[in-house]
Amino acid sequence: MGLDKLLVISAALFCCGLYAILTRRNAVAVLMGVELILNAANINFVAFSHYVSRVIGGQIFAVFVIVLAAAEAAVALAIFLRMYATTGTVEIDAADQLKG
Amino acid sequence: MIRYAYIIPLLPLLAFFVNIAVGRRLPRKGDWVSIAAIGAGLAMSIAIFFEVFRIHDPNFKYHIVYPWLDIGGRFVVKAGILVDNLTAVMLVVVTGVSTLVHIFSVGYMHGDPRYSRFFAYLSVFSFSMLGLVLAESFFFIYIFWELVGVASYLLIGFWFEKKSAADACKKAFIVNRIGDFGFLIGFLILYSATGVLGYDEVFQGISEGKVAGTLLTLAGIGIFCGAIGKSAQFPLHVWLPDAMEGPTPVSALIHAATMVAAGVYLVGRVYPIFTPDAFLVIAYIGLLTLFISATIALASRDIKKVLAYSTCSQLGFMIMGLGVGGFTAGLLHLTTHAAFKACLFLGSGSVIHAVHSQDIFEMGGLWKKMKITAATFIIATLAIAGVPGFSGFYSKDMILAAALEFGMRHPQHMIIFVVTLFTAGMTAFYMFRLVILTFFGKPRDHHKYDHAHESPPNMSVPLVILAVLSFAFWFKAPLAEKGWFEVLVPKPASAVSASFAVPANAGLSAEAPAGAKGEHDLHLAHKAHTIAMYSSVGVAGLGILLAFGIYMLGWVDPDKVAAKFPRLHDFLVNKWYFDELYEATAVNGTKALSRALAWFDLHVVDGLVNLCAQVAVWVSFLAGKFDNAVVDGAVNGVATVTIESGSFFRRFQTGKLYHYVYILAGGVLIIYLVKAF
Amino acid sequence: MGFIDRHILSLMTFLPLAGAAVILCMPKGKDNIVKTIAAVASFLPIPLAVRLWGAFDQTVAGVNVENQFQFVEHYSWIPSINVEYFMGADGISMPMLILTAIVSFLAVIGSWGIQKQIKGYMALFLLLETGMMGVFASLDFFLFYVFWEVMLLPMYFLIGIWGGPRREYAAIKFFLYTLLGSVLMLIVMLALYFNSINPETGGHTFNMLHYMQQSTHNAWLKGFDVRILLFLGLFIGFAIKVPLFPFHTWLPDAHVEAPTAISVILAGILLKMGTYGLMRISFPIFPDVTKWFVIPMAVLGVINIVYGALCAMAQSDLKKMVAYSSVSHMGFCLLGMAALTPAGMVGASFQMFSHGMITSMLFFLVGVVYDRAHHRDIDGFGGLGAVVPVYTFFVTVAFFASLGLPGFSGFIAEAMVFIGSFGPLKTFVIIGASGIIIVAAFHLWALQRVFLGPLNPKYAQLEEINAREIFCLTPLALMTLFFGVYPMPVLNLMNTSLVRLVDVVKMVM
Amino acid sequence: MHLGNLASLTFFLPELAVTATILLLILVHVAGKSRYSAAPALLSLAGVGAALLLVALQPASPGRLLFEGMVALDGFAIFFKALTALATIVVIFMSMESRDLAGRTQTEYYVFLLSVLLGMFLLAASTDIVMLYLALELVSIPSYLLAGYLKGKESSTEAAMKYVVYGATASGVMIYGFSLLYGLTGTTQMAEIGRALAAGKAPLPVFLAAAMVTVGFGFKIAAVPFHMWSPDVYEGAPTPVTAFLSVGPKAAGFAVLVRFFYTVFASPDAAAGMWKLPPSVDWTLLFGVLSAVTMSVGNLVAINQNNVKRLLAYSSIAHAGYMLMGFVLLTPAGLKAILFYLVVYLFMNLGAFYVVVLVANGTGSEDIADYSGLGRRAPFAAVSLAIFLFALTGIPPFSGFIGKVYLFAEVINRGVYWLAVVAALNSVVSLYYYARIVKVMFLEDPKESAELPVPAFPRAVLSLLAIPTLVLGIYWEPVARVAANSVRLLAF
């Protein structure tokens, strides 16, 4: 498996993530889209680390991304939960009080 | 004494300040301050006159010049006075009439609530008029020119509670300003060409050819425009009759004897700058004026209006005289006219004072009640009618002679003489009509007649003095070849060198200056003089006779004549409809323009950006915000555009998160596309 | 005396500010003390101005020569970008400094009747005075700009809080309009800064006088197209202040809504800053463009004269009429300046000085009648001359002065403008001179409708002008009269400088 | 000079101080309820104060890199550390006053606040993209929580939700961009990335990477078109948090933007001030347009706002646009202008929000209409707010004007006149809405006549914000010098 293929996979993953973010109305699904993007980046990091850099900097970066994505997801889910508690829904369309 | 001539105007100025500040608290409300000032001026003027007379040099000139404005030597205006023979005469005329009017006013204005204010105004007028006479440069004559206008404004509007007076003073000032506009342009042309402002310096410049041809003609006509305004010449004559709303002494002083003559004086003063074309314009303007106003005077019922139109007409005589080359004649007529016209006006004042009416058809038979007034009035009328032996005859005859001489030289302009002669006859007619209706016949309004009385001495004495001055012998010893005026105020040499004149008009030059006349010229002049004298006596007699025939002996009933020519009569009574014409065109035109521009200012200029705004809003008509933006008006236009675009962008902020992310993605895309292409 | 002499311009500028600070420290309710402090703080510049006048050497020009400026105070302020505290006076600024001192003091006296929040009013007013003085005294462009803008804030509040019914609109309109002008100026200022070199230090400079030496400009700044754009940027900034057609529409609103004393300041001094800026900055820095721009300036000047006068004629609000008359009169300034002749330039400058006094009188007088009748509708009066003769007298004097009657300073100015401009700009002068007819017409028409004719019985009991108001008017009237009869004292102040200015502009190319 | 991990610690004292304070706060919270509700605030104040002091004492030296090249210790970092610490102190003061936050658990709030501060410290100093990403998330994640801190309030929750989704997306895009950069250069060290890029070609991928990274930074500084979250979040969040977000993270965002692009993309010849990267793209034009659009959108939309907080949110977008002007040319002078502007912006913007907090305490409203007659009801607060607003407009003699002059100056110096003109017109537009608040406060009569008392302490804080706003408008030489030095010391 060469670098090119990995990059294509990562690009596809990125697009899927972006597509999910743009089309999904459920906040959790949107969050999953974000996770896809982050993982697309991770694939890149690891791939580049392996094929280009030959040092493990990229792989370390990927680990960091995974950790931070987890933290981010935790915070995001907590916020969604609170939103569910106050409004009874996690549809992002429902949240349009603030506008203009 | 000549050295101190500058004091003469300053005295009345001082009196003005005293009276305006503390006049009401002074004994006799300060009238004596003004009278003393002008009286002292008169004394000084007479002294100067005799000094000049003793020198008896036609070319006598005395300058005093001080630096006044100096812009690093790049622009210099000097203040100063010029005393020559003409000035000396004018000083006497102005201070003399002014003094008599001051004295007359003591009686006439007695008991007026603004008595001291009146004398203050008289003083400021005297100051300005004397300043005008003494000025030695275009700049200063312009200054005093405006100042006499203001004094006239203040005095016409003295009884400002009357709407007519308030209207009249405004009209007088604005109409004069129109003339002044021309004056200003005229002297600007001269200044920009010669770079100097003093009369002599400018003449020098012109004779050096610094300005010539059409431009010089225009300059001359421009300056003459000032005279048209101030001397109530056609087409700016409309203010003068209205100006009779002022107190009668004012009419005598300003609107008969002095200020209105300033135009004539101006033309005389700057005589050397006029090109032949300019002279022709002057002559014809004068001609039109003298004829038009005389016809209007024929039909007028108001004693002061008749006199006003006669003044207009006489000023026309002078202007025309100057225009045809009768320099001395015009100015002499100015001098003689000052005396007899002041006398007439003061006399009318005396009459009005007595009967409290200005309508001559409500008078009649006043001869019995007010003998002094009547006698002096008749003397002055004889003078204005041009009866031999009186001053008016002497001067008017000279004007006629000049016109005839001009006509003989240039037969195509013979009409000037013909019309003038005819008008001289009309003058005699309407003046005697006035005299007869006022003083003779039966009283037509007995109530008014019964209350009539002779005026107090302080009013009648000035009348007498002025009447005495209306005789010819003051100006020319009987049978003398030439009067002193003719000797002392000869025609100045034209600065317009023939070589710079427009060749086409070279043949039309005015008569050559005195002393340079050839044999042929002398002969021509003599011949013209003889014809003019006889014909003028003839028409005067005819006019007087006709007046007596119609208004005393009842040969023809004037009302029937009027009824026979109703259109003509209406035309004359309505003063040729000049007021209506001006009202409809100039006045309403300006007002309409000003309103239009104000509207333009408020709605277009202020809304200019608004306009762009509206266009922008049209584009976004979908939003249906059009009304708001239009109603909003004003410069808010910018604001409108701004706010509208704000709303536009604001609509993106829907509150919906995925819209936001779309925009984010779109942003990246756009940035990327920028690169890609 | 030494200290005062060395810092006379700073003192004139900052004494009012000190007064404002003192006023702000006063406890509430001491209105009379506040007014007194304000009067003192605004009066102090007058003796200083007199001192200035006495000590001024009229024979040196200034304009673009640094060592010819007088009363110079030159300190470093922000060395890292070469901003300097640089003040000095020459013949261009002297009359304006004197005028500002006098008119400001009179305006404080004229504000005596203000009831609402007097403390804030006086403090803002004094701040405004500091701004005005500073503009006329500064020679560093940055400093100039700061003072220029500093005036906006107090003006906004003074109109907005103490103004008439539409005050909020007028205030913000004024503010936005002038800010628009000044941001353009800011851009030009920075462009000049970066493209010219201080010949002494080699660094960039904000010193106006350096910009006036073409040698300090770099190649870019020598390009004529660039210079035109920069000139226009400045010109629009100043034109808004003057205000020139079509940038004048803030003026009628601001003048009408502002309280009397502020209208006086607006018309009497603020408008002059536009023309002052052109003389001080635009002309000497861009002499070549100035010459190129003569005709447009003359056109604008003439439009201002005639158009302003005609608009004034159509107004039924007395104050608005006076406001438009200012538009007309400022046109004379521009026409005179456009001529680039000594007489024209001096005439323009003298018109600034003279109009400052005359229009101040006019606005004071409008305020007097408004205080009593509570309206300014010209047609709503009638025959007041019989009731209030003294007031009528002052109005007549002011109106005649305003319509350019000889004997008043306005005439000298206008005549000099005409005489100076006629040579190069004949047609424009002829059209412009027709303005004198319209100016006369609307003044007299208003005079007639308000004061002459039968008395409107509604105003039979109208109160006569009081001593305080007379106190405000008399000095102005006397000065107008005095300088109308003998203008040389003022002309001498500016002659040398303005002749130099003309030469500076004309010499190039 | 790269320092090892242990050796670095001595130069890491401010961060350590903040970290210690965070831990202490948690300890105190866990240990039991404090008797003083103000205790956590005071504790964090002490901690941040200490950090600020330590920052001030830190010797700045060019090229000193800590933790094996992860973190720089240059003047630039120190400048931003001081700036953000100062902002945090003011925000702590503000939070103590805010009635919004009263009665809620205080400790967590301050823990989040200080975490953000720590993140900002690291963000401003990070020289490695791993560190950068870590710091960025350290700033972001607690920010989400702060925005949603008002549990019961629906708008607050909504704000937090939008913030977290938008933020996560933005950082996701950014990290993808980082991965591309890493792939192109094979290193995570910014300086080396820069060197590698200077040597290499491949302009298009580089450009894609740069664009994606810009999303992350643009999100932090709220530049158009990545600004959409900010008005909603600013309105929904508690006011002190809004104030904090509009200054602190924004400043840090600028820091990282500048450091990243300057290190990676700027020409080593600093004086030339040219972008060294793909010349086929007019970077100046690109960022110029970004700047112009940002300020224009911010200003135009602000005009129609009726909520003061939301208005200030848009205004802060506009100010980001102004500050971007300093960035378009990547010259030291431009960067200096940004730094200077951030200093004055800190005072004037926090000051404006402070008054909003005070007024909301009194009236319970953030509507412009409820500010009517504030000039009479609370003159001190009203005058202060007027000063801040006019400073934001950029009118002398207030500091905002000087800030703008510096920003304009560099743009004009380099001949980008169109941007200067746009910015100038924007200033005029901005006056319109700032003056609208001033008008309501001073020119309109109060709806209620009751005075709004402003206690002595907030008064003092307000003065401390207003006086610099005024003084820096009259004498700003020291700050200008500091800003200039900070730029010069930027490690390469």
Side-chain angles (χ1 to χ4, degrees), chain B residues 68-71 74 143 146-147 150 153 160-161 167 170 173 177 181 188 191 594 597 600-601 606 634, chain C residues 169 173 248-249 307 310 324 403 405 416 419 434 436 444-445 447-448 453-454 485 488 491 495 503:
Chain B
W68 181 60
L69 272 187
D70 184 354
I71 303 193
R74 306 268 283 264
I143 287 180
E146 293 266 310
L147 286 178
V150 174
Y153 171 85
F160 59 78
E161 291 91 343
D167 284 340
K170 181 187 69 179
F173 195 87
R177 264 264 157 138
F181 167 63
L188 286 178
Y191 173 77
S594 78
L597 283 183
F600 176 78
D601 200 57
D606 203 12
Chain C
Y169 170 74
K173 194 172 180 181
H248 65 284
T249 54
Y307 181 88
L310 281 169
Y324 272 109
L403 64 78
L405 186 77
M416 282 173 63
I419 291 173
S434 72
I436 66 167
L444 295 183
W445 197 27
L447 196 64
Q448 181 200 10
V485 174
M488 279 320 280
L491 295 186
N495 276 348
D503 290 342

Side-chain angles (χ1 to χ4, degrees), chain B residues 134 401 447 512:
Chain B
L134 285 167
H447 179 71

Side-chain angles (χ1 to χ4, degrees), chain B residues 16 20 109 114 117-125 128 146-161 165-166 168-170 172-173 243 245-247 250 254-255 259, chain C residues 392-393 395-397 399-400 405 408 444 447 452:
Chain B
F16 164 72
I20 207 91
M109 298 301 290
R114 288 191 289 269
R117 179 67 56 95
F118 183 79
F119 278 93
Y121 290 168
L122 279 185
S123 290
V124 78
F125 170 77
S128 321
E146 293 266 310
L147 286 178
V148 288
V150 174
S152 155
Y153 171 85
L154 293 171
L155 284 164
I156 296 171
F158 187 72
W159 289 319
F160 59 78
E161 291 91 343
C169 64
K170 181 187 69 179
F173 195 87
E245 291 297 336
V250 171
I254 300 182
H255 306 119
M259 185 190 86
Chain C
T392 311
F393 169 78
V395 174
T396 313
V397 168
F399 271 26
F400 275 111
L405 186 77
F408 295 106
L444 295 183
L447 196 64
L452 311 185

